[in-house]
Amino acid sequence: MSVPQRRVPAAQRGTRIRRRTTSGGVTAPGQARRLVAAGRPRHTSAALLGVHGPHPVELAGLLHEVTVRILTADTVAQALDRLAALAAGALPGTVRCTVALITEGGPVTVAAAGTAGETSDTLQYAEGNGPGLEAARTRTLITSADLGADDRWPELARAARADGIGAVVAVPLDVRRHAVGALSISLGRRGEAGPDLLLTAMAIAGQAEVLLGELHRREALTEGAAVDRAVGVIIAQRGCGVQEAYRILHDSAQRLGLDRMTVAERLVAAAARDRQTSS
């Protein structure tokens, strides 16, 4: 015996359809704006960005590329170069992307890619004031719809106009226990950045924070091993204690103006050459 089919009124059918549509994978413009206002990064990929914001497939592909480029880098500096180049090519309207990291007690490390904005970048980081540094200091998203007329950074106005920089978006980077910084996107046109670009830039920055932290951890392990070997060489050569050997290595690095890992590697290499010569 067949089961009688229950007829659903047209009004209820429409309600069901609308519920399925709004719970799907497409982010409506209003939802995207609320995500930006709440500071929750949900970002997108390259020139295929649509008017409704990031598409999940495009976003997944972009973040995968960010992961591969950073984790296959040999150094943090190389990773920053790759990140800047990727973001500059992925975000529509971008004429320059700058990544800056500030470590405790160290200088600002800056990597950039793009066809314009070099003068503005140089001035900002030389003077220590601008949207990128403001984002790093305050840990907040900083935007300027017209950098050439923004009275927060009057010293950048002339350089921005000469460079062809219109709007700027600076997303903070917080690499835990290592550094703070910002991913700055310079656009060739004036005007407020749309939610799709904001969400994409924040997604790239969020992914980069985690990956740069892992890269820093790997470098620390490598540096620790090199330093330990160099300390062993110093102890063998001078007959001193462990603490004295560490102090000698530290003083040598300061005197030569090099980082401790470079000095350690050179010392170990020199000791190896001496052993080969004497054998």
Side-chain angles (χ1 to χ4, degrees):
M1 179 172 132
S2 61
V3 179
Q5 295 184 353
R6 178 170 171 265
R7 298 187 63 185
V8 180
Q12 293 183 21
R13 287 201 301 272
T15 301
R16 290 180 181 179
I17 291 172
R18 284 193 295 273
R19 283 175 183 166
R20 283 196 296 270
T21 302
T22 55
S23 62
V26 178
T27 304
Q31 291 174 311
R33 294 189 190 97
R34 286 195 295 275
L35 286 172
V36 174
R40 293 181 173 272
R42 295 287 187 274
H43 326 340
T44 69
S45 90
L48 299 177
L49 295 175
V51 295
H52 297 300
H55 188 283
V57 174
E58 297 165 6
L59 176 58
L62 177 60
L63 296 187
H64 173 74
E65 191 170 356
V66 171
T67 301
V68 171
R69 290 200 186 190
I70 291 181
L71 288 187
T72 57
D74 295 325
T75 63
V76 171
Q78 186 184 58
L80 297 183
D81 287 334
R82 291 181 175 185
L83 177 61
L86 174 61
L91 297 169
T94 299
V95 294
R96 189 174 185 84
C97 175
T98 307
V99 185
L101 280 187
I102 308 168
T103 56
E104 185 177 356
V108 180
T109 302
V110 180
T115 58
E118 184 175 353
T119 303
S120 301
D121 260 1
T122 301
L123 181 61
Q124 174 177 186
Y125 294 104
E127 296 293 329
N129 194 29
L133 290 171
E134 184 71 14
R137 281 192 285 260
T138 62
R139 313 289 206 281
T140 57
L141 176 69
I142 301 295
T143 63
S144 175
D146 185 358
L147 185 60
D150 199 319
D151 57 11
R152 289 175 292 179
W153 309 288
E155 65 277 7
L156 291 180
R158 182 179 298 178
R161 290 194 295 269
D163 278 345
I165 301 297
V168 171
V169 173
V171 185
L173 291 171
D174 191 352
V175 183
R176 292 186 60 189
R177 297 185 297 276
H178 295 290
V180 296
L183 173 74
S184 300
I185 307 300
S186 299
L187 304 173
R189 55 166 178 76
R190 294 189 297 272
E192 296 291 343
D196 49 359
L197 187 142
L198 290 173
L199 293 173
T200 305
M202 287 192 292
I204 293 174
Q207 186 81 343
E209 287 177 341
V210 178
L211 300 171
L212 289 172
E214 171 61 16
L215 209 55
H216 270 289
R217 187 188 69 82
R218 293 181 186 179
E219 280 197 347
L221 291 175
T222 303
E223 179 183 0
V227 167
D228 287 344
R229 289 194 296 270
V231 166
V233 170
I234 295 171
I235 291 173
Q237 289 177 344
R238 303 199 179 192
C240 60
V242 174
Q243 294 302 321
E244 178 67 10
Y246 274 106
R247 186 188 64 77
I248 291 171
L249 180 61
H250 176 74
D251 291 347
S252 298
Q254 283 194 325
R255 186 175 65 256
L256 295 171
L258 300 171
D259 62 86
R260 194 171 60 167
M261 182 175 175
T262 300
V263 175
E265 289 175 340
R266 290 182 180 181
L267 181 58
V268 171
R273 286 195 299 270
D274 291 342
R275 284 196 301 270
Q276 290 175 352
T277 302
S278 61
S279 61

